[in-house]
Amino acid sequence: MTDPVIRVLDSSDASLFDTLPDPLGARAAHARNTHRPEWKRVALRDGEVVARGAWWGGPDDDTPININWFDVAEGEEEAGAQLLRSSPYRVELEINLPAGWRDDPVTRAAAETRLRAARAAGYEVLVERYMYRWTPDLGLPERPGRLRFAAEPDDAVFFDALRRIHSVTLDAHALRAVAEGGLDQAAQEELDFFHWCPSPREWWQVAYTPDGEPVGIHIPAHNPSGPCVGFIGVLPEQRGRGYAYDLLAECTHFLAERGAGFIAGATDQGNAPMAANFAKAGYPVVRERVNLVPAEGA
């Protein structure tokens, strides 16, 4: 067996990327994403593509922020690992999967092949997530009417709220940021992401009780792929009252009132309370995702 050849693509040979089978339905999942040809790489063995990866970023980004498409042919884990190791970008890897992928032998085998290749390249699993998609035919969730919502122009208010929310968070990405640089880093990473999104800053809202006590924040957003629930967070002292559902319902109405034909959402599979709120609000799970990060020292 010959050694694999790693090839960076460009506009002249980008079609090579499409020659590998797609058992996990990645093409449909990425229908709204734009991948730059020069951020795509393939591993060739005897002239045939046996692994592929697409690095992704926003339209104004100079470098990719993640790898969100990674495929490996059966038995080609080492070629897939070489593909990842050869890239100059050590960024987060997302393996996007059908909902309930472990229940089907074909999708489970395909997913495990990719995971083995990623681990061989020095990646480790950070978290598994549920991916949701609300559409108008599902109906709008009922607004409980317990809270009032107001725009807040001061980033410092959101920064303070995010620090407090992440002090007791279940979110794996936030916990990783806290471990690396404390609550300030976790809060700043969230703010940076919201500012990166192309949606208006004035959409960010703070929720209050009728007496004016702050309850939490919700951030309706558009990422480059479309409208999404950017963030739902309840302050620690207000937890236990089911307010996260109120925030999610308001976020859904907010985006729907501005013409959203769908609304994407996501939460960690270990965050059972938020998963229950998405279900209550009528958001079906449409995909799952395994997020991997470069292992420390890799």
Side-chain angles (χ1 to χ4, degrees):
M1 182 181 292
T2 60
D3 291 336
V5 175
I6 308 302
R7 186 163 165 182
V8 180
L9 302 180
D10 58 31
S11 57
S12 68
D13 58 4
S15 60
L16 271 176
F17 191 86
D18 301 322
T19 61
L20 197 63
D22 184 23
L24 297 176
R27 182 165 306 285
H30 290 301
R32 298 180 63 88
N33 289 339
T34 298
H35 292 97
R36 304 181 199 181
E38 65 272 19
W39 286 355
K40 292 181 176 180
R41 306 168 77 87
V42 296
L44 298 151
R45 193 185 300 279
D46 298 325
E48 293 189 5
V49 175
V50 295
R52 63 183 169 192
W55 281 248
W56 180 86
D60 299 322
D61 291 331
D62 296 325
T63 58
I65 60 175
N66 62 30
I67 314 160
N68 66 5
W69 192 338
F70 178 57
D71 282 325
V72 184
E74 185 178 355
E76 291 287 356
E77 288 90 341
E78 181 52 32
Q82 288 186 38
L83 180 81
L84 296 176
R85 286 195 296 260
S86 68
S87 170
Y89 308 114
R90 295 293 285 175
V91 292
E92 187 166 329
L93 168 61
E94 298 177 352
I95 297 181
N96 294 285
L97 303 162
W101 60 273
R102 285 187 171 89
D103 299 328
D104 178 78
V106 174
T107 57
R108 181 167 186 159
E112 290 177 345
T113 294
R114 287 148 182 78
L115 289 168
R116 285 194 296 271
R119 290 189 176 100
Y123 280 83
E124 60 186 12
V125 173
L126 174 66
V127 68
E128 295 189 37
R129 289 170 66 77
Y130 292 123
M131 315 304 294
Y132 301 92
R133 185 182 177 94
W134 176 91
T135 50
D137 61 289
L138 296 170
L140 285 163
E142 181 181 354
R143 282 168 157 151
R146 298 187 294 171
L147 305 174
R148 65 178 180 87
F149 299 88
E152 170 54 63
D154 188 355
D155 274 12
V157 173
F158 287 93
F159 185 82
D160 177 67
L162 287 163
R163 288 185 84 261
R164 294 161 67 189
I165 291 165
H166 285 329
S167 69
V168 288
T169 188
L170 295 175
D171 183 87
H173 284 87
L175 289 169
R176 183 171 183 247
V178 171
E180 289 178 349
L183 290 171
D184 282 1
Q185 178 174 318
Q188 191 60 54
E189 285 185 4
E190 298 282 11
L191 283 179
D192 290 346
F193 171 75
F194 304 141
H195 279 298
W196 174 85
C197 289
S199 40
R201 166 63 178 81
E202 56 267 26
W203 283 7
W204 306 6
Q205 292 195 331
V206 179
Y208 299 91
T209 66
D211 294 332
E213 294 182 10
V215 167
I217 61 175
H218 81 95
I219 299 182
H222 272 236
N223 62 31
S225 300
C228 62
V229 178
F231 189 84
I232 302 292
V234 177
L235 297 173
E237 64 272 19
Q238 296 286 2
R239 296 192 179 181
R241 300 178 176 90
Y243 284 142
Y245 171 80
D246 301 51
L247 296 171
L248 178 58
E250 186 64 25
C251 190
T252 306
H253 278 263
F254 187 100
L255 289 167
E257 289 165 4
R258 285 153 182 80
F262 72 90
I263 303 171
T267 195
D268 293 1
Q269 292 187 13
N271 190 343
M274 197 63 222
N277 285 316
F278 271 112
K280 181 179 178 181
Y283 279 72
V285 176
V286 294
R287 301 278 293 177
E288 295 182 37
R289 174 180 292 164
V290 181
N291 291 75
L292 300 100
V293 293
E296 187 175 348

